[in-house]
Amino acid sequence: MFPKPFKKLHSDILYKLESLGITEPTPFQAESIPVIKSGSNLYCSAPPESGKTTTLIITTLQRLQCEAVGTSPRAIVLVKDKEKAMEMYDAFLKYTKHNSLRVYVGHEKMHVDLQKSEIMMGIDILISTPKSLNNLFLLNGVNTSQLKLFSVDDAEFLVPQSAYASMLSITAMIRKCQYVLYSEKISPKLKRFESNFMEFSKNISI
Protein backbone atom coordinates (compact mmCIF):
# COMPACT_ATOMS: atom_id res chain seq x y z
CA MET A 1 0.00 0.00 0.00
CA PHE A 2 1.42 3.36 -1.06
CA PRO A 3 1.31 6.22 1.47
CA LYS A 4 -0.10 9.64 0.76
CA PRO A 5 0.44 11.46 -1.57
CA PHE A 6 1.44 8.55 -3.82
CA LYS A 7 -1.65 6.37 -3.37
CA LYS A 8 -3.94 8.70 -5.33
CA LEU A 9 -1.68 8.73 -8.39
CA HIS A 10 -2.58 6.98 -11.65
CA SER A 11 -2.10 3.20 -11.48
CA ASP A 12 0.51 3.31 -14.28
CA ILE A 13 2.62 5.74 -12.21
CA LEU A 14 2.30 3.60 -9.08
CA TYR A 15 3.40 0.53 -11.01
CA LYS A 16 6.46 2.36 -12.33
CA LEU A 17 7.36 3.81 -8.91
CA GLU A 18 7.20 0.36 -7.40
CA SER A 19 9.35 -1.13 -10.17
CA LEU A 20 11.93 1.60 -9.50
CA GLY A 21 11.89 0.89 -5.77
CA ILE A 22 10.26 4.22 -4.88
CA THR A 23 7.60 3.51 -2.23
CA GLU A 24 7.92 6.47 0.14
CA PRO A 25 7.68 10.15 -0.86
CA THR A 26 10.46 12.49 0.17
CA PRO A 27 9.46 15.38 2.46
CA PHE A 28 9.49 17.65 -0.60
CA GLN A 29 7.24 15.29 -2.56
CA ALA A 30 4.83 14.91 0.35
CA GLU A 31 4.32 18.68 0.43
CA SER A 32 4.48 19.55 -3.26
CA ILE A 33 2.56 16.81 -5.07
CA PRO A 34 -0.88 17.58 -3.57
CA VAL A 35 -0.47 21.31 -4.30
CA ILE A 36 0.65 20.68 -7.89
CA LYS A 37 -2.29 18.31 -8.40
CA SER A 38 -4.62 21.09 -7.19
CA GLY A 39 -3.67 23.16 -10.25
CA SER A 40 -2.04 26.12 -8.47
CA ASN A 41 0.89 28.05 -9.88
CA LEU A 42 3.78 27.07 -7.63
CA TYR A 43 7.35 27.97 -6.71
CA CYS A 44 9.12 24.83 -5.41
CA SER A 45 12.51 25.11 -3.75
CA ALA A 46 14.50 22.29 -2.19
CA PRO A 47 18.14 21.13 -2.04
CA PRO A 48 19.62 18.55 -4.44
CA GLU A 49 18.39 14.94 -4.10
CA SER A 50 15.04 16.07 -2.69
CA GLY A 51 13.05 14.45 -5.48
CA LYS A 52 12.30 17.54 -7.57
CA THR A 53 12.83 15.91 -10.98
CA THR A 54 10.80 12.83 -10.03
CA THR A 55 8.04 15.13 -8.78
CA LEU A 56 8.07 17.04 -12.07
CA ILE A 57 7.75 13.82 -14.06
CA ILE A 58 5.04 12.07 -12.05
CA THR A 59 2.87 15.19 -11.71
CA THR A 60 3.13 15.74 -15.46
CA LEU A 61 2.06 12.16 -16.14
CA GLN A 62 -0.74 12.49 -13.59
CA ARG A 63 -2.05 15.66 -15.21
CA LEU A 64 -2.08 13.95 -18.62
CA GLN A 65 -3.53 10.73 -17.18
CA CYS A 66 -0.76 8.66 -18.80
CA GLU A 67 -2.33 8.62 -22.25
CA ALA A 68 -1.89 10.34 -25.60
CA VAL A 69 -4.60 12.79 -26.63
CA GLY A 70 -4.81 14.85 -29.82
CA THR A 71 -1.76 16.29 -31.55
CA SER A 72 -0.85 19.44 -29.56
CA PRO A 73 1.44 19.38 -26.50
CA ARG A 74 -0.40 19.39 -23.18
CA ALA A 75 2.74 19.79 -21.08
CA ILE A 76 5.96 21.74 -21.60
CA VAL A 77 9.16 21.21 -19.59
CA LEU A 78 11.73 24.00 -19.88
CA VAL A 79 15.40 23.22 -19.14
CA LYS A 80 18.68 25.10 -19.28
CA ASP A 81 20.45 23.57 -22.28
CA LYS A 82 20.78 20.60 -24.64
CA GLU A 83 22.48 18.41 -22.04
CA LYS A 84 19.70 19.00 -19.50
CA ALA A 85 17.10 18.46 -22.22
CA MET A 86 18.49 15.02 -23.07
CA GLU A 87 18.78 14.09 -19.38
CA MET A 88 15.15 15.04 -18.81
CA TYR A 89 14.06 13.15 -21.93
CA ASP A 90 15.80 9.99 -20.73
CA ALA A 91 14.25 10.41 -17.27
CA PHE A 92 10.75 10.71 -18.78
CA LEU A 93 11.24 7.63 -20.93
CA LYS A 94 11.67 5.50 -17.80
CA TYR A 95 8.08 6.37 -16.89
CA THR A 96 6.44 6.47 -20.34
CA LYS A 97 7.88 3.28 -21.84
CA HIS A 98 4.68 1.31 -21.27
CA ASN A 99 2.02 3.95 -21.92
CA SER A 100 0.99 5.94 -25.01
CA LEU A 101 2.36 9.35 -24.01
CA ARG A 102 4.55 10.94 -26.70
CA VAL A 103 7.58 12.81 -25.35
CA TYR A 104 9.53 15.10 -27.69
CA VAL A 105 12.82 16.86 -26.98
CA GLY A 106 14.09 19.93 -28.82
CA HIS A 107 17.02 22.30 -28.37
CA GLU A 108 18.85 25.06 -30.23
CA LYS A 109 21.27 22.61 -31.86
CA MET A 110 18.32 21.23 -33.88
CA HIS A 111 16.98 23.16 -36.87
CA VAL A 112 13.77 24.90 -35.88
CA ASP A 113 11.94 23.85 -39.05
CA LEU A 114 12.70 20.19 -38.30
CA GLN A 115 11.37 20.60 -34.77
CA LYS A 116 8.25 22.33 -36.08
CA SER A 117 7.45 19.56 -38.56
CA GLU A 118 8.05 16.78 -36.02
CA ILE A 119 5.95 18.48 -33.35
CA MET A 120 3.07 18.88 -35.79
CA MET A 121 2.97 15.08 -36.19
CA GLY A 122 1.60 14.92 -32.64
CA ILE A 123 3.17 15.05 -29.17
CA ASP A 124 1.99 15.23 -25.56
CA ILE A 125 5.07 16.45 -23.67
CA LEU A 126 7.58 18.93 -25.09
CA ILE A 127 11.00 19.29 -23.45
CA SER A 128 12.87 22.36 -24.69
CA THR A 129 15.30 25.18 -23.92
CA PRO A 130 14.31 28.88 -23.71
CA LYS A 131 15.93 29.89 -26.99
CA SER A 132 14.60 26.91 -28.92
CA LEU A 133 11.07 27.24 -27.53
CA ASN A 134 11.00 30.98 -28.16
CA ASN A 135 12.03 30.42 -31.79
CA LEU A 136 9.28 27.81 -32.19
CA PHE A 137 6.70 30.18 -30.79
CA LEU A 138 7.82 33.00 -33.09
CA LEU A 139 7.32 30.66 -36.07
CA ASN A 140 3.95 29.44 -34.80
CA GLY A 141 5.55 26.02 -34.45
CA VAL A 142 3.71 25.03 -31.26
CA ASN A 143 -0.05 25.04 -30.75
CA THR A 144 -0.63 25.82 -27.04
CA SER A 145 -4.42 25.68 -27.09
CA GLN A 146 -4.40 22.35 -25.20
CA LEU A 147 -1.53 23.21 -22.84
CA LYS A 148 -2.24 22.27 -19.22
CA LEU A 149 1.11 22.37 -17.42
CA PHE A 150 4.35 24.30 -17.90
CA SER A 151 7.21 23.17 -15.64
CA VAL A 152 10.70 24.64 -15.31
CA ASP A 153 13.50 22.39 -14.07
CA ASP A 154 16.29 24.03 -12.01
CA ALA A 155 14.84 27.46 -12.75
CA GLU A 156 17.96 29.38 -11.65
CA PHE A 157 19.00 29.47 -15.31
CA LEU A 158 16.22 32.01 -15.91
CA VAL A 159 17.94 34.67 -13.78
CA PRO A 160 20.32 35.99 -16.52
CA GLN A 161 18.61 38.66 -18.59
CA SER A 162 18.53 36.81 -21.93
CA ALA A 163 16.83 33.71 -20.51
CA TYR A 164 14.56 35.85 -18.33
CA ALA A 165 13.43 37.84 -21.38
CA SER A 166 12.88 34.63 -23.37
CA MET A 167 10.66 33.28 -20.61
CA LEU A 168 8.55 36.42 -20.59
CA SER A 169 8.25 36.27 -24.37
CA ILE A 170 7.24 32.60 -24.29
CA THR A 171 4.63 32.95 -21.56
CA ALA A 172 3.13 36.05 -23.20
CA MET A 173 2.08 33.77 -26.07
CA ILE A 174 0.35 31.22 -23.83
CA ARG A 175 -3.29 31.88 -23.06
CA LYS A 176 -3.65 29.88 -19.87
CA CYS A 177 -2.00 26.98 -18.05
CA GLN A 178 -0.50 25.98 -14.72
CA TYR A 179 3.13 26.97 -14.06
CA VAL A 180 5.47 25.16 -11.66
CA LEU A 181 9.04 26.42 -11.14
CA TYR A 182 11.56 24.12 -9.42
CA SER A 183 14.86 25.39 -8.01
CA GLU A 184 17.22 25.10 -5.07
CA LYS A 185 16.42 28.65 -4.01
CA ILE A 186 13.88 31.20 -5.24
CA SER A 187 15.77 34.37 -6.13
CA PRO A 188 14.16 37.82 -6.09
CA LYS A 189 14.31 37.89 -9.89
CA LEU A 190 12.33 34.65 -10.16
CA LYS A 191 9.77 36.09 -7.74
CA ARG A 192 9.28 38.96 -10.19
CA PHE A 193 7.45 36.51 -12.44
CA GLU A 194 4.53 36.94 -10.01
CA SER A 195 3.64 40.14 -11.83
CA ASN A 196 3.43 38.20 -15.11
CA PHE A 197 2.49 34.53 -15.49
CA MET A 198 3.01 33.39 -11.86
CA GLU A 199 0.08 35.33 -10.45
CA PHE A 200 -1.64 33.91 -7.36
CA SER A 201 1.28 31.49 -6.99
CA LYS A 202 1.98 29.41 -3.89
CA ASN A 203 5.36 28.59 -2.38
CA ILE A 204 6.83 25.36 -1.05
CA SER A 205 10.32 25.42 0.41
CA ILE A 206 12.12 22.52 2.07
Side-chain angles (χ1 to χ4, degrees):
M1 179 68 69
F2 280 92
K4 290 182 179 180
F6 281 174
K7 70 177 183 179
K8 291 187 177 181
L9 294 173
H10 192 283
S11 59
D12 285 4
I13 301 172
L14 294 178
Y15 174 79
K16 181 52 66 174
L17 288 173
E18 188 172 27
S19 71
L20 293 171
I22 303 173
T23 57
E24 290 282 343
T26 66
F28 170 74
Q29 290 168 341
E31 283 206 40
S32 62
I33 290 174
V35 182
I36 297 169
K37 286 173 63 181
S38 76
S40 299
N41 289 341
L42 186 63
Y43 285 101
C44 295
S45 60
E49 308 303 322
S50 299
K52 295 192 293 294
T53 299
T54 301
T55 299
L56 186 159
I57 293 170
I58 63 178
T59 53
T60 300
L61 270 58
Q62 178 70 24
R63 190 67 184 272
L64 304 190
Q65 288 296 292
C66 294
E67 64 178 353
V69 175
T71 58
S72 302
R74 291 174 292 141
I76 290 176
V77 180
L78 198 69
V79 296
K80 179 180 180 180
D81 52 29
K82 174 186 174 182
E83 289 70 30
K84 286 288 187 180
M86 298 311 299
E87 287 177 14
M88 183 63 72
Y89 179 69
D90 290 340
F92 261 98
L93 290 187
K94 292 179 182 178
Y95 288 82
T96 61
K97 189 178 296 184
H98 300 296
N99 63 43
S100 62
L101 284 172
R102 299 156 297 178
V103 186
Y104 183 83
V105 60
H107 46 78
E108 53 267 29
K109 301 294 177 67
M110 297 172 62
H111 197 285
V112 68
D113 288 334
L114 174 62
Q115 293 183 61
K116 181 178 178 180
S117 63
E118 292 181 339
I119 289 169
M120 289 179 66
M121 294 173 67
I123 66 170
D124 298 291
I125 301 166
L126 172 60
I127 302 169
S128 189
T129 60
K131 184 176 180 180
S132 179
L133 187 58
N134 197 30
N135 288 338
L136 280 168
F137 274 32
L138 292 173
L139 292 175
N140 294 317
V142 181
N143 181 347
T144 61
S145 62
Q146 303 303 311
L147 191 62
K148 298 177 180 292
L149 178 62
F150 191 119
S151 303
V152 183
D153 182 53
D154 292 334
E156 290 91 346
F157 70 86
L158 294 176
V159 171
Q161 187 57 38
S162 60
Y164 184 87
S166 290
M167 186 65 176
L168 291 179
S169 176
I170 290 164
T171 55
M173 292 182 272
I174 297 173
R175 184 174 60 85
K176 185 180 180 181
C177 75
Q178 178 188 11
Y179 293 93
V180 182
L181 270 62
Y182 299 84
S183 64
E184 291 185 27
K185 295 181 180 179
I186 302 298
S187 71
K189 192 159 189 179
L190 291 180
K191 290 293 286 183
R192 284 168 53 190
F193 286 137
E194 286 182 328
S195 61
N196 294 282
F197 60 91
M198 288 294 286
E199 59 183 359
F200 309 118
S201 59
K202 297 181 179 180
N203 295 270
I204 287 179
S205 181
I206 301 297

